[in-house]
Amino acid sequence: MSENKSRPTQADAEAAVRTLIEWAGDDPNREGLLETPKRVAKAYRELFAGYDVDPREYLARTFDEVGGYDELVVLKDIPVVSMCEHHMLPFLGKAHVGYLPRNRVVGISKLARVVHGFARRMQIQEKLTAQVAEAIQDILQPKGVGVVIVSEHSCMTMRGVNTPGTRLTTSHLLGEVRDDSRTRQEFFELVRSGDR
């Protein structure tokens, strides 16, 4: 949003939902739908909470005492819930985030928070994947970063081509994870380990 334009109010959001209910052909004043505009606005506030945070700030606190550890750190199966910017329908899946530390590490919960912070915005999966990887690279300055996201998109499964079960896989590799074939292979093996 531009700086000189104020954010619409809760009442504005609820009015928009009432309009959509009417547009769909139903009556927003019937008993089952009376509270729906309020519930939808509240749900959207949660789904778009990423606009109210800077996910990069989660990476600010690091630990220098790593005992000489210089191998890949990989956090797998981070839940991803995001909204496709093209249809405002959710895509859900898992993120796998890894980095090759230079001389400091970050608490692993912070990696999940970075994913969640960027995911809770309207966007495409490709952009989300790149945002997570580039934030880790910029803030932690590791030797390399790898991010893989696998998700199912409601815009494909509920409408359009109606293909439930299809999954989109995106990856963004930086530094040695991209450039060194052994490190890249190790990263992808660690991401795949435990898959059935």
Side-chain angles (χ1 to χ4, degrees):
M1 265 185 201
S2 63
E3 291 179 22
N4 56 0
K5 184 179 179 189
S6 65
R7 181 181 249 175
T9 66
Q10 175 82 15
D12 294 334
E14 291 178 23
V17 174
R18 277 191 287 282
T19 298
L20 282 173
I21 292 170
E22 287 180 308
W23 176 82
D26 213 323
D27 177 7
N29 294 313
R30 74 174 173 83
E31 183 181 16
L33 293 173
L34 274 176
E35 296 297 315
T36 297
K38 184 183 291 182
R39 287 191 296 264
V40 170
K42 183 179 179 185
Y44 270 53
R45 172 59 57 220
E46 186 177 331
L47 289 169
F48 299 133
Y51 289 113
D52 296 326
V53 299
D54 179 359
R56 299 164 63 92
E57 290 181 3
Y58 295 125
L59 300 169
R61 184 163 187 258
T62 60
F63 303 97
D64 295 331
E65 294 182 23
V66 297
Y69 187 85
D70 62 356
E71 299 295 325
L72 279 168
V73 174
V74 178
L75 185 62
K76 293 176 43 173
D77 299 325
I78 304 166
V80 170
V81 177
S82 195
M83 295 288 269
C84 168
E85 66 185 32
H86 299 146
H87 299 98
M88 284 184 65
L89 290 171
F91 60 92
L92 299 98
K94 304 278 184 177
H96 313 289
V97 176
Y99 68 101
L100 190 57
R102 191 173 303 279
N103 54 14
R104 57 191 177 135
V105 296
V106 68
I108 59 174
S109 69
K110 305 309 184 204
L111 297 174
R113 289 182 188 278
V114 169
V115 171
H116 294 158
F118 283 119
R120 294 301 177 128
R121 301 173 179 189
M122 284 184 274
Q123 62 186 317
I124 60 173
Q125 182 174 323
E126 295 88 340
K127 180 180 177 184
L128 171 60
T129 309
Q131 285 175 320
V132 172
E134 289 167 8
I136 294 167
Q137 182 66 42
D138 290 347
I139 305 300
L140 297 184
Q141 295 291 305
K143 296 176 190 172
V145 177
V147 175
V148 173
I149 298 178
V150 181
S151 67
E152 188 169 327
H153 288 247
S154 298
C155 58
M156 290 259 313
T157 63
M158 296 172 54
R159 55 155 305 278
V161 296
N162 290 299
T163 52
T166 58
R167 297 183 306 164
L168 176 66
T169 301
T170 53
S171 66
H172 197 80
L173 310 177
L174 299 168
E176 288 185 26
V177 177
R178 179 193 62 212
D179 299 335
D180 183 280
S181 61
R182 290 178 300 170
T183 304
R184 183 173 58 247
Q185 180 179 352
E186 180 184 2
F187 170 70
F188 284 120
E189 285 175 1
L190 288 169
V191 165
R192 282 191 301 267
S193 69
D195 288 350
R196 295 179 183 172

